[in-house]
Amino acid sequence: IKNKGVANGGMAEFQEMMRQQLESSMHTELEKLLDTTTGAEREVSKKDFEGFKNLYHRFLQVKGPSVEWIKIKRPPEDSIQPYDKISARGLPDSMANSLNKLVVVKLNGGLGTSMGCKGPKSLISVRNENTFLDLTVQQIEHLNKTYNTDVPLVLMNSFNTDEDTKKILQKYTHHRVKIHTFNQSRYPRINKESLLPVATNLSMTGQNTEGWYPPGHGDIYASFYNSGLLDQLIAQGKEYIFVSNIDNLGATVDLHILHHLVSQPNGKRCEFIMEVTDKTRADVKGGTLIQYEGKLRLLEIAQVPKAHVDEFKSVSKFKIFNTNNLWISLAAIKRLQEQKAMDMEIIVNSKTLDGGQNVIQLETAVGAAIKSFDNALGINVPRSRFLPVKTTSDLLLVMSNLYSLEAGSLTMSPKREFPTTPHVKLGSSFTKVQEYLTRFESIPDMLELDHLTVSGDVTFGKNVSLKGTVIIIANHGDRIDIPAGSMLENKIVSGNLRILDH
């Protein structure tokens, strides 16, 4: 038994030695990468690498899941407030004072590749030729004009989206919105076998393009701080940021939540608000809020031990999920960055490069930092504040008559009898935006639709109306054309339905 103890102790020492060796090799490789460039690029990369080294160090230390299932508790009643309770307080006459303390930040690092588009996702047209970015600018401009305020827009770009976004920003010079940008970090992808970088130099061309990645939106705190923009905004009297994904069309500035933040009714300064909303079967993978070791904490599916994944997905045990609409104190971000006290779990994302090489990316999520902030709070908001457009199925909903557009904001049509959106599943022939657009001569009337499934080579004529449950399946090699003016209610259409001209 004694010997076994020695063996285990020796094993731990050996593992520690291996860890130190790996970390030392990584530092050497990063120095080599830095030596491939000079000047400003070198300085920026050096700052980025500091953050990466910290993440890599923690990655090597990690043993097992980051949560012990047995310690998970439901959040205390008062830590997640219903939105109705907050909005019932009403708004003061001087809303402008609160708005002048606010900055809107949109996460703009993503490309439109999953929808078959090149370039930033924010430049995809979603409604009446308006892109995600157009709608965001219209919303904030409307606020600034209505309340005579100066709410700026900040875009967190990635090296994938920065250049194209900056080109397009010129078109907003005459809008009443100040727009700032900063870039999130650029981290090296890690070879899964050697655990060392795959890139050979700092350039973004040729083979090396695949050597780099933006490390998830949890990087916002460090890159916002490093950019100098955080200090600049604090100097202008700004106190809070409202952060959301640029593809969430429901994430507009909510005056009730802002008033709650600024007026702090309980006397305690709340530094972080996470908007959560009730889970449906479609949201089983979304992160949820838990109480853990006395703190409110975000639990993501990636952190759940395999044996408990079904429990995590249960709509009855974990009733809410994170919309990634967050309200955060600027002074608190500055404090936590300077104290190096920002604590976020590492997400290990495995990928296979085009050449077949297996790599890992170390990422963090912006909401995971909730446990580092004082008096953090969840607010259970209406589902309408979560309207992400991730696929063309989502795009069909927001382009349809289910929504009306006013001053950049989409609102559910009062003619819709139920507050939930229909469940839409479009097949692979609709995945790419360009192809999707050619398959609809006009977007169908969907006011009374509950469920739509479309699979195979299907096209829709003008003024089609869909009601109840509609399933359209074209067999392989067949094509179905839904004729102009058709009304399909609780119908299954399959086989080869060609409508001949007559």
Side-chain angles (χ1 to χ4, degrees), residues 342-362:
M342 199 71 81
D343 181 17
M344 290 172 280
E345 291 76 29
I346 296 172
I347 300 160
V348 181
N349 193 349
S350 300
K351 290 211 181 285
T352 304
L353 302 184
D354 289 346
Q357 189 176 28
N358 291 324
V359 296
I360 53 177
Q361 300 181 176
L362 304 180

Side-chain angles (χ1 to χ4, degrees), residues 183-200:
N183 262 9
Q184 67 182 112
S185 311
R186 174 169 78 125
Y187 283 3
R189 282 183 169 146
I190 304 168
N191 180 319
K192 207 168 188 172
E193 307 302 316
S194 68
L195 292 184
L196 293 172
V198 295
T200 50

